[in-house]
Amino acid sequence: MAPLRVLCIHGYRQNGSSYREKTGALRKLLKKQVEFVYLSAPHSVQQASSEAPEKENGSGPGPGGDEDPRGWWFSDVQARSFSAQQHCEESLGLDESVTAVREAVKVQGPFDGILGFSQGAAFVAMLCSLQEQKLEPEFSFRFAILVAGFRSACKEHQKFYNPPLQIPSLHVFGLEDRVIPDNMSRELLASFQDPQVLTHPGGHFVPAASAHRPVYQDFLKRFQ
């Protein structure tokens, strides 16, 4: 059986190669089933001490660390910064990010599914909405996995959230997540028809313990 091809969308202040490292355990867990392809966001993020990076277990820059922090959009247009909790009228940079995904699908696709983490998971929900509204004919994702996802608090993004998305989805979040508290991830569930849920007792990371394997595998085997 050919492995499923999944496009991976990193979190804010990460990039494709740092996210590849941080999902090493997941790649190993699902190596027989999934080929993961990693994309970097088009926008460079300025380092600012006031912003909390989306770190996995506090892993900071190091070998293959987040030396080139990137983001999919900014909630503060002036400061070119992002916070999931920030309510804003409009954002900056989303269109360029959609274009980057469209190009990746054209050049590296097709993909069976799409996986996002944190800001990347919020972006995945938007991409699925564009697909279902038939606004992105290149997109043909059959499933979505959203880890530590949330609904964007930006007013111009509310168009992505109704009606509920039909795409099969697995929503993964940590009960001790301090960056995206689990109630924010739960709020996103209403935007999906029949969402599947995997909770774990940890924080802001992609869980890949052997106990989680059956949930991932049961979800993925529908598409094999």
mmCIF file of all heavy atoms in Angstrom, residues 54-91:
data_model
loop_
_atom_site.group_PDB
_atom_site.id
_atom_site.type_symbol
_atom_site.label_atom_id
_atom_site.label_comp_id
_atom_site.label_asym_id
_atom_site.label_seq_id
_atom_site.Cartn_x
_atom_site.Cartn_y
_atom_site.Cartn_z
ATOM 1 N N GLU A 54 5.850 29.380 19.883
ATOM 2 C CA GLU A 54 5.102 28.129 19.999
ATOM 3 C C GLU A 54 6.116 27.013 20.149
ATOM 4 O O GLU A 54 6.539 26.405 19.183
ATOM 5 C CB GLU A 54 4.227 27.938 18.770
ATOM 6 C CG GLU A 54 3.286 29.109 18.584
ATOM 7 C CD GLU A 54 2.141 28.790 17.655
ATOM 8 O OE1 GLU A 54 2.265 27.899 16.828
ATOM 9 O OE2 GLU A 54 1.110 29.457 17.785
ATOM 10 N N LYS A 55 6.534 26.781 21.360
ATOM 11 C CA LYS A 55 7.603 25.811 21.580
ATOM 12 C C LYS A 55 7.038 24.470 21.975
ATOM 13 O O LYS A 55 6.032 24.387 22.654
ATOM 14 C CB LYS A 55 8.520 26.300 22.706
ATOM 15 C CG LYS A 55 9.365 27.503 22.302
ATOM 16 C CD LYS A 55 10.244 27.909 23.454
ATOM 17 C CE LYS A 55 11.169 29.052 23.051
ATOM 18 N NZ LYS A 55 11.943 29.541 24.176
ATOM 19 N N GLU A 56 7.735 23.446 21.595
ATOM 20 C CA GLU A 56 7.369 22.110 22.026
ATOM 21 C C GLU A 56 8.250 21.770 23.213
ATOM 22 O O GLU A 56 9.468 21.677 23.092
ATOM 23 C CB GLU A 56 7.605 21.110 20.895
ATOM 24 C CG GLU A 56 7.292 19.707 21.312
ATOM 25 C CD GLU A 56 7.754 18.699 20.267
ATOM 26 O OE1 GLU A 56 7.964 19.052 19.120
ATOM 27 O OE2 GLU A 56 7.910 17.542 20.659
ATOM 28 N N ASN A 57 7.648 21.626 24.363
ATOM 29 C CA ASN A 57 8.407 21.286 25.569
ATOM 30 C C ASN A 57 9.597 22.214 25.791
ATOM 31 O O ASN A 57 10.661 21.785 26.199
ATOM 32 C CB ASN A 57 8.909 19.838 25.489
ATOM 33 C CG ASN A 57 7.754 18.864 25.544
ATOM 34 O OD1 ASN A 57 6.653 19.256 25.886
ATOM 35 N ND2 ASN A 57 7.989 17.622 25.205
ATOM 36 N N GLY A 58 9.425 23.477 25.456
ATOM 37 C CA GLY A 58 10.491 24.443 25.723
ATOM 38 C C GLY A 58 11.722 24.260 24.860
ATOM 39 O O GLY A 58 12.780 24.764 25.201
ATOM 40 N N SER A 59 11.630 23.546 23.750
ATOM 41 C CA SER A 59 12.826 23.391 22.922
ATOM 42 C C SER A 59 13.014 24.667 22.126
ATOM 43 O O SER A 59 12.138 25.090 21.393
ATOM 44 C CB SER A 59 12.662 22.192 21.981
ATOM 45 O OG SER A 59 11.517 22.359 21.188
ATOM 46 N N GLY A 60 14.131 25.311 22.298
ATOM 47 C CA GLY A 60 14.389 26.582 21.610
ATOM 48 C C GLY A 60 15.348 26.366 20.454
ATOM 49 O O GLY A 60 15.540 25.261 19.991
ATOM 50 N N PRO A 61 15.960 27.454 19.986
ATOM 51 C CA PRO A 61 16.914 27.315 18.894
ATOM 52 C C PRO A 61 18.051 26.402 19.304
ATOM 53 O O PRO A 61 18.454 26.360 20.456
ATOM 54 C CB PRO A 61 17.417 28.740 18.679
ATOM 55 C CG PRO A 61 16.356 29.613 19.243
ATOM 56 C CD PRO A 61 15.754 28.836 20.382
ATOM 57 N N GLY A 62 18.529 25.675 18.370
ATOM 58 C CA GLY A 62 19.631 24.735 18.605
ATOM 59 C C GLY A 62 19.879 24.134 17.257
ATOM 60 O O GLY A 62 19.509 24.726 16.256
ATOM 61 N N PRO A 63 20.467 22.965 17.199
ATOM 62 C CA PRO A 63 20.658 22.342 15.893
ATOM 63 C C PRO A 63 19.304 22.172 15.218
ATOM 64 O O PRO A 63 18.400 21.569 15.782
ATOM 65 C CB PRO A 63 21.274 20.975 16.229
ATOM 66 C CG PRO A 63 21.781 21.113 17.633
ATOM 67 C CD PRO A 63 20.934 22.156 18.306
ATOM 68 N N GLY A 64 19.150 22.761 14.052
ATOM 69 C CA GLY A 64 17.869 22.676 13.347
ATOM 70 C C GLY A 64 16.739 23.372 14.087
ATOM 71 O O GLY A 64 15.582 23.112 13.848
ATOM 72 N N GLY A 65 17.069 24.257 15.000
ATOM 73 C CA GLY A 65 16.038 24.957 15.770
ATOM 74 C C GLY A 65 15.388 26.045 14.942
ATOM 75 O O GLY A 65 15.562 26.111 13.731
ATOM 76 N N ASP A 66 14.667 26.920 15.595
ATOM 77 C CA ASP A 66 13.889 27.913 14.861
ATOM 78 C C ASP A 66 14.714 29.170 14.590
ATOM 79 O O ASP A 66 14.363 30.257 15.001
ATOM 80 C CB ASP A 66 12.622 28.258 15.648
ATOM 81 C CG ASP A 66 11.789 27.015 15.919
ATOM 82 O OD1 ASP A 66 11.866 26.089 15.107
ATOM 83 O OD2 ASP A 66 11.085 26.985 16.930
ATOM 84 N N GLU A 67 15.859 28.999 13.889
ATOM 85 C CA GLU A 67 16.679 30.179 13.598
ATOM 86 C C GLU A 67 16.018 31.074 12.568
ATOM 87 O O GLU A 67 16.377 32.223 12.426
ATOM 88 C CB GLU A 67 18.060 29.778 13.055
ATOM 89 C CG GLU A 67 19.005 29.248 14.110
ATOM 90 C CD GLU A 67 19.107 27.736 14.043
ATOM 91 O OE1 GLU A 67 18.379 27.136 13.222
ATOM 92 O OE2 GLU A 67 19.897 27.182 14.805
ATOM 93 N N ASP A 68 15.089 30.518 11.814
ATOM 94 C CA ASP A 68 14.418 31.285 10.767
ATOM 95 C C ASP A 68 12.925 31.259 11.062
ATOM 96 O O ASP A 68 12.159 30.579 10.395
ATOM 97 C CB ASP A 68 14.740 30.639 9.402
ATOM 98 C CG ASP A 68 14.024 31.346 8.258
ATOM 99 O OD1 ASP A 68 13.652 32.530 8.430
ATOM 100 O OD2 ASP A 68 13.824 30.706 7.205
ATOM 101 N N PRO A 69 12.493 31.986 12.118
ATOM 102 C CA PRO A 69 11.091 31.879 12.532
ATOM 103 C C PRO A 69 10.160 32.476 11.489
ATOM 104 O O PRO A 69 10.418 33.546 10.936
ATOM 105 C CB PRO A 69 11.041 32.672 13.843
ATOM 106 C CG PRO A 69 12.187 33.611 13.781
ATOM 107 C CD PRO A 69 13.241 32.949 12.945
ATOM 108 N N ARG A 70 9.053 31.766 11.245
ATOM 109 C CA ARG A 70 8.129 32.184 10.194
ATOM 110 C C ARG A 70 6.693 32.116 10.683
ATOM 111 O O ARG A 70 6.409 31.465 11.679
ATOM 112 C CB ARG A 70 8.327 31.298 8.953
ATOM 113 C CG ARG A 70 9.719 31.487 8.400
ATOM 114 C CD ARG A 70 9.930 30.943 7.015
ATOM 115 N NE ARG A 70 11.058 31.656 6.444
ATOM 116 C CZ ARG A 70 10.967 32.559 5.472
ATOM 117 N NH1 ARG A 70 9.803 32.859 4.943
ATOM 118 N NH2 ARG A 70 12.038 33.162 5.027
ATOM 119 N N GLY A 71 5.801 32.794 9.960
ATOM 120 C CA GLY A 71 4.388 32.783 10.335
ATOM 121 C C GLY A 71 3.508 32.819 9.107
ATOM 122 O O GLY A 71 3.930 33.235 8.022
ATOM 123 N N TRP A 72 2.256 32.388 9.296
ATOM 124 C CA TRP A 72 1.296 32.325 8.182
ATOM 125 C C TRP A 72 0.493 33.606 8.048
ATOM 126 O O TRP A 72 0.033 33.946 6.967
ATOM 127 C CB TRP A 72 0.383 31.118 8.356
ATOM 128 C CG TRP A 72 1.168 29.826 8.390
ATOM 129 C CD1 TRP A 72 1.487 29.088 9.500
ATOM 130 C CD2 TRP A 72 1.762 29.139 7.276
ATOM 131 N NE1 TRP A 72 2.236 27.989 9.142
ATOM 132 C CE2 TRP A 72 2.418 27.985 7.786
ATOM 133 C CE3 TRP A 72 1.796 29.380 5.897
ATOM 134 C CZ2 TRP A 72 3.106 27.093 6.964
ATOM 135 C CZ3 TRP A 72 2.482 28.491 5.076
ATOM 136 C CH2 TRP A 72 3.130 27.368 5.618
ATOM 137 N N TRP A 73 0.258 34.310 9.163
ATOM 138 C CA TRP A 73 -0.346 35.644 9.109
ATOM 139 C C TRP A 73 -0.037 36.351 10.418
ATOM 140 O O TRP A 73 0.390 35.743 11.402
ATOM 141 C CB TRP A 73 -1.856 35.586 8.845
ATOM 142 C CG TRP A 73 -2.718 35.229 10.031
ATOM 143 C CD1 TRP A 73 -3.255 36.075 10.956
ATOM 144 C CD2 TRP A 73 -3.141 33.905 10.422
ATOM 145 N NE1 TRP A 73 -3.977 35.379 11.891
ATOM 146 C CE2 TRP A 73 -3.925 34.050 11.585
ATOM 147 C CE3 TRP A 73 -2.931 32.626 9.901
ATOM 148 C CZ2 TRP A 73 -4.492 32.952 12.240
ATOM 149 C CZ3 TRP A 73 -3.497 31.547 10.551
ATOM 150 C CH2 TRP A 73 -4.272 31.708 11.703
ATOM 151 N N PHE A 74 -0.235 37.686 10.404
ATOM 152 C CA PHE A 74 -0.007 38.514 11.592
ATOM 153 C C PHE A 74 -1.341 39.089 12.041
ATOM 154 O O PHE A 74 -2.112 39.603 11.216
ATOM 155 C CB PHE A 74 0.974 39.648 11.277
ATOM 156 C CG PHE A 74 2.314 39.164 10.806
ATOM 157 C CD1 PHE A 74 2.716 39.342 9.486
ATOM 158 C CD2 PHE A 74 3.175 38.507 11.673
ATOM 159 C CE1 PHE A 74 3.949 38.885 9.039
ATOM 160 C CE2 PHE A 74 4.409 38.038 11.233
ATOM 161 C CZ PHE A 74 4.799 38.234 9.914
ATOM 162 N N SER A 75 -1.603 39.016 13.343
ATOM 163 C CA SER A 75 -2.842 39.593 13.875
ATOM 164 C C SER A 75 -2.665 41.072 14.171
ATOM 165 O O SER A 75 -3.640 41.818 14.224
ATOM 166 C CB SER A 75 -3.272 38.844 15.150
ATOM 167 O OG SER A 75 -2.223 38.817 16.099
ATOM 168 N N ASP A 76 -1.418 41.511 14.369
ATOM 169 C CA ASP A 76 -1.135 42.934 14.564
ATOM 170 C C ASP A 76 -0.452 43.440 13.295
ATOM 171 O O ASP A 76 0.721 43.156 13.041
ATOM 172 C CB ASP A 76 -0.229 43.137 15.785
ATOM 173 C CG ASP A 76 -0.058 44.615 16.133
ATOM 174 O OD1 ASP A 76 0.036 45.437 15.192
ATOM 175 O OD2 ASP A 76 0.004 44.944 17.332
ATOM 176 N N VAL A 77 -1.225 44.151 12.490
ATOM 177 C CA VAL A 77 -0.753 44.577 11.166
ATOM 178 C C VAL A 77 0.434 45.527 11.291
ATOM 179 O O VAL A 77 1.396 45.450 10.524
ATOM 180 C CB VAL A 77 -1.924 45.224 10.380
ATOM 181 C CG1 VAL A 77 -1.464 45.818 9.065
ATOM 182 C CG2 VAL A 77 -3.019 44.188 10.145
ATOM 183 N N GLN A 78 0.372 46.443 12.278
ATOM 184 C CA GLN A 78 1.455 47.425 12.460
ATOM 185 C C GLN A 78 2.746 46.757 12.927
ATOM 186 O O GLN A 78 3.809 46.975 12.369
ATOM 187 C CB GLN A 78 1.041 48.502 13.479
ATOM 188 C CG GLN A 78 0.575 49.819 12.847
ATOM 189 C CD GLN A 78 -0.652 49.632 11.985
ATOM 190 O OE1 GLN A 78 -1.644 49.045 12.409
ATOM 191 N NE2 GLN A 78 -0.592 50.113 10.747
ATOM 192 N N ALA A 79 2.628 45.959 13.974
ATOM 193 C CA ALA A 79 3.828 45.367 14.584
ATOM 194 C C ALA A 79 4.312 44.121 13.843
ATOM 195 O O ALA A 79 5.389 43.609 14.137
ATOM 196 C CB ALA A 79 3.545 45.016 16.042
ATOM 197 N N ARG A 80 3.520 43.626 12.883
ATOM 198 C CA ARG A 80 3.820 42.360 12.202
ATOM 199 C C ARG A 80 4.084 41.259 13.230
ATOM 200 O O ARG A 80 5.118 40.600 13.222
ATOM 201 C CB ARG A 80 5.022 42.497 11.255
ATOM 202 C CG ARG A 80 4.688 43.247 9.977
ATOM 203 C CD ARG A 80 5.901 43.382 9.086
ATOM 204 N NE ARG A 80 6.332 42.102 8.541
ATOM 205 C CZ ARG A 80 5.897 41.573 7.400
ATOM 206 N NH1 ARG A 80 4.992 42.215 6.688
ATOM 207 N NH2 ARG A 80 6.358 40.411 6.977
ATOM 208 N N SER A 81 3.139 41.120 14.150
ATOM 209 C CA SER A 81 3.253 40.088 15.183
ATOM 210 C C SER A 81 1.935 39.316 15.231
ATOM 211 O O SER A 81 0.951 39.703 14.603
ATOM 212 C CB SER A 81 3.546 40.730 16.542
ATOM 213 O OG SER A 81 2.461 41.538 16.942
ATOM 214 N N PHE A 82 1.939 38.231 16.006
ATOM 215 C CA PHE A 82 0.751 37.380 16.069
ATOM 216 C C PHE A 82 0.518 36.892 17.480
ATOM 217 O O PHE A 82 1.446 36.480 18.184
ATOM 218 C CB PHE A 82 0.912 36.163 15.143
ATOM 219 C CG PHE A 82 -0.177 35.141 15.348
ATOM 220 C CD1 PHE A 82 -1.443 35.347 14.823
ATOM 221 C CD2 PHE A 82 0.053 33.997 16.103
ATOM 222 C CE1 PHE A 82 -2.464 34.430 15.049
ATOM 223 C CE2 PHE A 82 -0.954 33.072 16.326
ATOM 224 C CZ PHE A 82 -2.213 33.290 15.799
ATOM 225 N N SER A 83 -0.748 36.942 17.888
ATOM 226 C CA SER A 83 -1.179 36.283 19.119
ATOM 227 C C SER A 83 -2.542 35.660 18.846
ATOM 228 O O SER A 83 -3.432 36.312 18.287
ATOM 229 C CB SER A 83 -1.288 37.291 20.263
ATOM 230 O OG SER A 83 -2.073 36.723 21.304
ATOM 231 N N ALA A 84 -2.695 34.398 19.240
ATOM 232 C CA ALA A 84 -3.964 33.697 19.003
ATOM 233 C C ALA A 84 -5.110 34.351 19.769
ATOM 234 O O ALA A 84 -6.273 34.228 19.384
ATOM 235 C CB ALA A 84 -3.831 32.227 19.414
ATOM 236 N N GLN A 85 -4.774 35.044 20.854
ATOM 237 C CA GLN A 85 -5.820 35.658 21.687
ATOM 238 C C GLN A 85 -6.200 37.059 21.222
ATOM 239 O O GLN A 85 -7.136 37.645 21.737
ATOM 240 C CB GLN A 85 -5.347 35.733 23.153
ATOM 241 C CG GLN A 85 -5.452 34.418 23.914
ATOM 242 C CD GLN A 85 -4.260 33.493 23.692
ATOM 243 O OE1 GLN A 85 -3.313 33.852 23.011
ATOM 244 N NE2 GLN A 85 -4.302 32.304 24.271
ATOM 245 N N GLN A 86 -5.455 37.607 20.253
ATOM 246 C CA GLN A 86 -5.673 39.005 19.859
ATOM 247 C C GLN A 86 -6.874 39.149 18.929
ATOM 248 O O GLN A 86 -6.916 38.556 17.854
ATOM 249 C CB GLN A 86 -4.424 39.552 19.156
ATOM 250 C CG GLN A 86 -4.579 40.997 18.726
ATOM 251 C CD GLN A 86 -3.300 41.557 18.122
ATOM 252 O OE1 GLN A 86 -2.402 40.818 17.748
ATOM 253 N NE2 GLN A 86 -3.218 42.861 18.040
ATOM 254 N N HIS A 87 -7.848 39.945 19.352
ATOM 255 C CA HIS A 87 -9.007 40.235 18.498
ATOM 256 C C HIS A 87 -8.617 41.362 17.550
ATOM 257 O O HIS A 87 -8.118 42.392 17.981
ATOM 258 C CB HIS A 87 -10.214 40.654 19.354
ATOM 259 C CG HIS A 87 -10.778 39.511 20.120
ATOM 260 N ND1 HIS A 87 -11.847 38.769 19.673
ATOM 261 C CD2 HIS A 87 -10.387 38.934 21.290
ATOM 262 C CE1 HIS A 87 -12.100 37.795 20.527
ATOM 263 N NE2 HIS A 87 -11.232 37.877 21.527
ATOM 264 N N CYS A 88 -8.811 41.139 16.258
ATOM 265 C CA CYS A 88 -8.445 42.181 15.297
ATOM 266 C C CYS A 88 -9.491 42.236 14.198
ATOM 267 O O CYS A 88 -10.210 41.266 13.959
ATOM 268 C CB CYS A 88 -7.054 41.916 14.721
ATOM 269 S SG CYS A 88 -6.871 40.304 13.929
ATOM 270 N N GLU A 89 -9.554 43.389 13.540
ATOM 271 C CA GLU A 89 -10.484 43.548 12.415
ATOM 272 C C GLU A 89 -9.937 42.818 11.197
ATOM 273 O O GLU A 89 -10.643 42.088 10.529
ATOM 274 C CB GLU A 89 -10.662 45.040 12.082
ATOM 275 C CG GLU A 89 -11.441 45.820 13.117
ATOM 276 C CD GLU A 89 -12.905 45.405 13.184
ATOM 277 O OE1 GLU A 89 -13.527 45.209 12.120
ATOM 278 O OE2 GLU A 89 -13.425 45.274 14.313
ATOM 279 N N GLU A 90 -8.654 43.092 10.897
ATOM 280 C CA GLU A 90 -8.057 42.460 9.731
ATOM 281 C C GLU A 90 -6.656 41.969 10.059
ATOM 282 O O GLU A 90 -6.053 42.396 11.041
ATOM 283 C CB GLU A 90 -8.038 43.427 8.546
ATOM 284 C CG GLU A 90 -7.415 44.756 8.862
ATOM 285 C CD GLU A 90 -7.588 45.746 7.701
ATOM 286 O OE1 GLU A 90 -8.631 45.687 7.030
ATOM 287 O OE2 GLU A 90 -6.673 46.549 7.497
ATOM 288 N N SER A 91 -6.160 41.077 9.227
ATOM 289 C CA SER A 91 -4.834 40.509 9.445
ATOM 290 C C SER A 91 -3.949 40.867 8.263
ATOM 291 O O SER A 91 -4.388 41.482 7.296
ATOM 292 C CB SER A 91 -4.936 38.986 9.582
ATOM 293 O OG SER A 91 -5.311 38.423 8.335
#
